[in-house]
Amino acid sequence: MFSRPLKAAVAVAIAGAFSLTAAPAQAAPADDADVWIALVPTYAATGKYAYEPFAPGGGYARTNTCVPNMGYHYVNAQLRDDPAVDPAKPEVLLYEGGSNASTRKLVGVEWRVPISATAAAPTLFGKTFFKDTALGVYSLHAWIYKSNPNGLFEAYNPRVTCPA
């Protein structure tokens, strides 16, 4: 039987490990602090998916196609078909890693709105969505779990790699 202090130490270690998964990927300059505060609902909603096996249970379908500088796109079909933009409900989770899905790491999120659902590009966090005519969607990426030297909301992250 474990002693009470040992149980407490183990509980603290586990809690500490989980809290690290929701830490911001990059420090924000003082003038961007409001953006990081606005992203709190996104962290709260997606932090559990840092452990990739939880993503399918949350409605995010696995994929075996890695897009260079973006990673694997896990799309939630229910959210994808809803034109609403909600910081706590990104339509896509972005992962990088190897061909073994359970070892992939969450690196970012993406919001998508069908072009047919709105006359103008939506905005979120003060950023206007990118119009992707090939996919028929407006999209906005947020690299909240892996820093992007090009910017938090840029579509491509040169630090995200695909397996060879």
Side-chain angles (χ1 to χ4, degrees):
M1 181 172 251
F2 292 110
S3 67
R4 184 172 251 163
L6 180 57
K7 286 181 184 178
V10 170
V12 168
I14 291 170
F18 279 117
S19 70
L20 290 176
T21 63
Q26 53 205 15
D31 59 343
D32 290 337
D34 289 342
V35 170
W36 289 101
I37 292 168
L39 281 163
V40 167
T42 308
Y43 282 109
T46 62
K48 63 187 164 202
Y49 302 122
Y51 181 61
E52 187 280 342
F54 287 164
Y60 292 93
R62 283 189 175 121
T63 179
N64 289 320
T65 303
C66 186
V67 178
N69 300 315
M70 283 187 173
Y72 295 94
H73 290 64
Y74 286 43
V75 179
N76 184 311
Q78 184 177 5
L79 296 175
R80 178 197 63 210
D81 297 333
D82 180 1
V85 176
D86 184 342
K89 295 180 180 178
E91 286 78 8
V92 181
L93 300 176
L94 302 166
Y95 288 89
E96 78 171 337
S99 57
N100 181 355
S102 66
T103 62
R104 295 178 184 162
K105 301 213 182 301
L106 183 61
V107 293
V109 297
E110 178 184 353
W111 291 269
R112 288 185 181 176
V113 174
I115 291 173
S116 61
T118 181
T123 61
L124 186 63
F125 310 115
K127 301 293 180 184
T128 302
F129 282 42
F130 169 76
K131 186 176 184 178
D132 186 336
T133 53
L135 292 177
V137 298
Y138 291 106
S139 67
L140 180 70
H141 294 76
W143 300 101
I144 60 175
Y145 294 103
K146 185 167 190 162
S147 65
N148 183 349
N150 296 334
L152 177 63
F153 295 107
E154 291 299 315
Y156 296 96
N157 185 342
R159 291 186 177 152
V160 174
T161 59
C162 291

